[in-house]
Amino acid sequence: MKKLFSMLTALALMFSLCIPALAADSEERDVTAHIFTQEDMDRFWTVQPSERIASTVKLNRNTTGAQGTGCGYFTADAQDVTFMITNAPGALTYNVGLLDSQGNAVTDWLREVPVNNPVGFRNLIVGEEYHFVVSSNDVPERGCTANYEVY
């Protein structure tokens, strides 16, 4: 019995030493996402971001908002990134999520973001690879080719 108690105590001590390390790692990796307000947009466009990726993506209909087409693959060179669908014929809104290189969601999905309204992501890990996944609740059934920009 004494040996079992010693083993359990040692095991508990090992786990208690790991918990702070796991918590710190979790806090460092919490990527946050938010839909820009008008004030955020005014501030964003005043700065005129210098680097921009502009491309197209097939925007498909997805009424659950939690699936879509991958686009905007990048390696983070800063802790912040901004994404925006600038034109999507037939769609008024879009859904967007940010995934890591293994395809794991690093943020909650943002649903029904107005087209031409930026979304900001913060606390990215510099040097890590990410990409966006997009869809729309209100695009026509056949989808559309949408233009997007990443800053």
Side-chain angles (χ1 to χ4, degrees):
M1 187 70 167
K2 208 174 196 186
K3 195 173 194 177
L4 177 63
F5 181 73
S6 295
M7 286 181 10
L8 288 175
T9 303
L11 191 60
L13 180 60
M14 287 175 27
F15 280 121
S16 69
L17 293 174
C18 293
I19 289 172
L22 293 173
D25 187 46
S26 170
E27 288 173 10
E28 290 173 15
R29 292 185 162 266
D30 284 345
V31 176
T32 59
H34 75 284
I35 300 170
F36 278 30
T37 64
Q38 185 62 50
E39 183 179 315
D40 293 331
M41 286 190 285
D42 293 344
R43 189 172 37 249
F44 179 74
W45 293 119
T46 303
V47 174
Q48 286 296 318
S50 58
E51 293 190 34
R52 174 179 77 126
I53 299 169
S55 192
T56 60
V57 64
K58 176 74 180 333
L59 190 63
N60 293 314
R61 177 183 279 185
N62 183 325
T63 55
T64 65
Q67 296 178 1
T69 306
C71 66
Y73 291 76
F74 69 100
T75 300
D77 58 3
Q79 291 185 325
D80 302 329
V81 67
T82 301
F83 177 87
M84 172 176 48
I85 289 186
T86 58
N87 183 32
L92 298 174
T93 64
Y94 65 97
N95 310 310
V96 61
L98 183 66
L99 282 61
D100 64 18
S101 61
Q102 285 77 43
N104 301 311
V106 296
T107 63
D108 291 333
W109 278 82
L110 297 175
R111 293 178 168 89
E112 299 184 10
V113 179
V115 169
N116 236 358
N117 198 111
V119 175
F121 297 88
R122 293 188 180 134
N123 302 324
L124 278 64
I125 298 172
V126 174
E128 292 285 320
E129 296 177 357
Y130 297 95
H131 68 278
F132 303 96
V133 176
V134 296
S135 65
S136 176
N137 298 359
D138 54 21
V139 72
E141 190 67 38
R142 68 186 181 288
C144 74
T145 300
N147 298 322
Y148 69 89
E149 295 177 359
V150 179
Y151 297 92

